[in-house]
Amino acid sequence: MSSKPLMVIQISKRLYSSASKKDVVIISAVRTPMGPFLGSMAPLTAPRLGAIAIEAAVERAGIPKEEIKEVFMGNVCQGGVGQAPARQATIFAGLPKSTICTTVNKVCSSGMKSVMFATQSLLLGDQDVILAGGMESMSNVPYYMKRGQTPYGGVNLSDGVVLDGLWDVYNKFHMGNCAENTAKKLNISRQQQDEYAINSYKRSAEGYKNNVYASELVAVNVPQKRGTPDLVVAADEEYKRVNFDKFGKLATVFQRENGTVTAGNASTLNDGAAALILTTSENAKRLNAKPLARVVSYQDGECDPVDFPIAPAVAIPKLLEKTGVSKDEVAMWEINEAFSVVVLANQQILGLNPDKINIHGGAVSLGHPIGMSGARLIVHLVHSLKSGEKGVAAICNGGGGASSVMIEKL
């Protein structure tokens, strides 16, 4: 055995203070409206929607397309989308064919994880400018038939939206049953969920009335039949598709007896895309680009798959500890409303101020294109925070996960 002394290398923990890292900044943040399932934007595939968001993000950043060296785009239901969805969106947007592209699938957290990957790459110095976001066309997700299935006696088809996007493979039931489980565990009633959902619709309507979404939206031109002008979709549609008089009478969906989750207090199926451009503060100066916000930090979390609705309550405390920011210092929380119970549960567990959560509405009233939503939450924070304020975006995902990102408005 060798008697030579061993060399011990101590690796220090990375701290997210401005003194110990490069500042990663967001110089552009846009999204398309979210169209209803099989509705106005259904003719466009996820990559085509992604291309619209990417092109608009570059245009609003005021930088050459050639400056973007890498793209991360979230996309969940990829059956029938075609090869390399992020690559399609990038090329359809007119970016150089030398652009590196990666499609990210972390279920509902996909769009947020894309932003996290971009941030990590910039911190490591791998790239100077990266575009990240998410896209989904739930309207175009196909039905699946197992290979080799004989047509004799009929065939069985599986809905790709459910199978790849909304199905808990561990308990073999819809994720809505996980929401029911959380409601039961935390004693959150149907009435509380309905009240929350109604408030979400009202907040979204008020947000549109006060023009709070204008700076983040890019209109989508949807081709029509030959000789007919394109349909221009310039705003979300779901928040207007509600009848409050019928809200309390809606049937529960996942548990008929003593159920609490309905079509009214859950998010809808939607189409849409979001894109952000990230760089370092030093490189923003070179590009003569105005930083809109700084990425303070990010954090994932995991729990039992059946408890996925409360996974943000795992990720968020770790994020706050990592940054040294208290929950009271957070000016805005954007927590994805996969179900109303998600926000109510995490608010209860973490002791958050409800007046700071989803103040302009959320996925219940606006929509939830699953590959896009994580990025959309960050986009909204970028445009809604005031200078110097910090905001946290968090989103749960199937399998028991959650992602969270903290930004500071500049």
Side-chain angles (χ1 to χ4, degrees):
M1 183 174 177
S2 173
S3 60
K4 292 181 180 179
L6 296 174
M7 182 182 291
V8 179
I9 301 174
Q10 185 174 5
I11 302 175
S12 62
K13 182 180 177 183
R14 181 189 292 273
L15 298 176
Y16 286 82
S17 67
S18 57
S20 63
K21 74 173 185 67
K22 297 177 182 177
D23 269 341
V24 172
V25 296
I26 298 167
I27 60 172
S28 183
V30 305
R31 71 171 179 93
T32 69
M34 291 173 282
F37 187 61
L38 298 176
S40 57
M41 294 179 359
L44 299 174
T45 66
R48 288 292 181 183
L49 291 169
I52 292 168
I54 290 172
E55 193 168 10
V58 176
E59 182 181 340
R60 294 187 189 182
I63 64 174
K65 292 180 178 180
E66 292 73 20
E67 288 288 348
I68 297 172
K69 298 299 191 293
E70 189 161 10
V71 170
F72 294 99
M73 288 293 283
N75 184 218
V76 180
C77 296
Q78 296 176 34
V81 172
Q83 190 182 71
R87 180 70 169 167
Q88 290 181 51
T90 301
I91 290 177
F92 291 155
L95 269 62
K97 292 183 174 62
S98 58
T99 310
I100 300 164
C101 304
T102 303
T103 307
V104 177
N105 187 349
K106 195 177 186 290
V107 209
C108 299
S109 294
S110 300
M112 190 172 292
K113 191 65 178 179
S114 296
V115 174
M116 293 162 68
F117 280 147
T119 301
Q120 290 170 341
S121 188
L122 289 163
L123 288 172
L124 290 169
D126 291 336
Q127 301 292 357
D128 289 332
V129 185
I130 302 177
L131 185 143
M135 56 194 179
E136 205 74 48
S137 177
M138 300 180 82
S139 295
N140 282 299
V141 180
Y143 291 90
Y144 302 151
M145 183 176 73
K146 289 184 179 179
R147 186 179 298 277
Q149 191 170 334
T150 173
Y152 182 76
V155 296
N156 294 315
L157 297 176
S158 298
D159 186 344
V161 171
V162 176
L163 188 64
D164 287 342
L166 307 174
W167 191 253
D168 183 319
V169 300
Y170 309 97
N171 298 286
K172 294 181 173 55
F173 54 41
H174 194 286
M175 293 170 73
N177 289 286
C178 301
E180 289 283 13
N181 178 69
T182 296
K184 184 177 180 180
K185 277 186 177 181
L186 297 179
N187 197 28
I188 298 172
S189 68
R190 156 79 182 267
Q191 183 180 1
Q192 287 175 289
Q193 293 175 59
D194 281 354
E195 287 176 357
Y196 179 88
I198 290 169
N199 193 39
S200 179
Y201 275 96
K202 289 180 177 178
R203 285 182 170 189
S204 294
E206 187 69 14
Y208 265 95
K209 181 180 176 181
N210 294 327
N211 218 28
V212 300
Y213 292 105
S215 58
E216 67 189 57
L217 286 167
V218 54
V220 174
N221 284 32
V222 184
Q224 304 296 297
K225 294 179 180 179
R226 182 175 294 182
T228 305
D230 287 355
L231 172 65
V232 179
V233 182
D236 301 310
E237 300 175 47
E238 175 59 32
Y239 78 97
K240 294 182 287 188
R241 294 154 52 96
V242 62
N243 185 333
F244 293 131
D245 293 334
K246 295 182 179 180
F247 219 92
K249 301 174 185 176
L250 294 172
T252 55
V253 179
F254 306 104
Q255 290 183 13
R256 296 299 180 185
E257 292 185 16
N258 301 316
T260 63
V261 178
T262 71
N265 60 40
S267 61
T268 52
L269 308 182
N270 297 89
D271 309 326
L276 304 94
I277 297 178
L278 298 92
T279 186
T280 62
S281 53
E282 181 181 3
N283 204 49
K285 292 178 182 177
R286 176 183 68 82
L287 295 169
N288 197 28
K290 180 185 177 183
L292 303 175
R294 175 175 74 92
V295 179
V296 179
S297 193
Y298 49 85
Q299 183 66 49
D300 287 322
E302 297 283 344
C303 62
D304 190 309
V306 76
D307 291 325
F308 91 89
I310 57 172
V314 178
I316 289 173
K318 293 180 179 180
L319 176 66
L320 297 178
E321 181 183 4
K322 190 179 188 180
T323 59
V325 176
S326 73
K327 62 185 180 184
D328 294 329
E329 293 176 280
V330 177
M332 281 182 65
W333 301 88
E334 282 291 313
I335 300 176
N336 192 55
E337 298 171 357
F339 302 92
S340 293
V341 73
V342 169
V343 180
L344 290 169
N346 286 282
Q347 173 188 308
Q348 178 179 318
I349 293 168
L350 297 173
L352 303 180
N353 181 349
D355 294 334
K356 291 184 176 181
I357 304 174
N358 300 352
I359 62 175
H360 302 130
V364 164
S365 55
L366 292 172
H368 182 21
I370 51 180
M372 168 206 190
S373 291
R376 182 195 72 79
L377 300 177
I378 302 172
V379 168
H380 190 59
L381 283 179
V382 168
H383 291 278
S384 299
L385 290 168
K386 296 175 182 177
S387 181
E389 289 184 336
K390 292 182 176 67
V392 171
I395 186 167
C396 57
N397 63 259
S403 295
S404 60
V405 170
M406 181 186 293
I407 68 166
E408 180 183 10
K409 180 73 172 184
L410 298 175

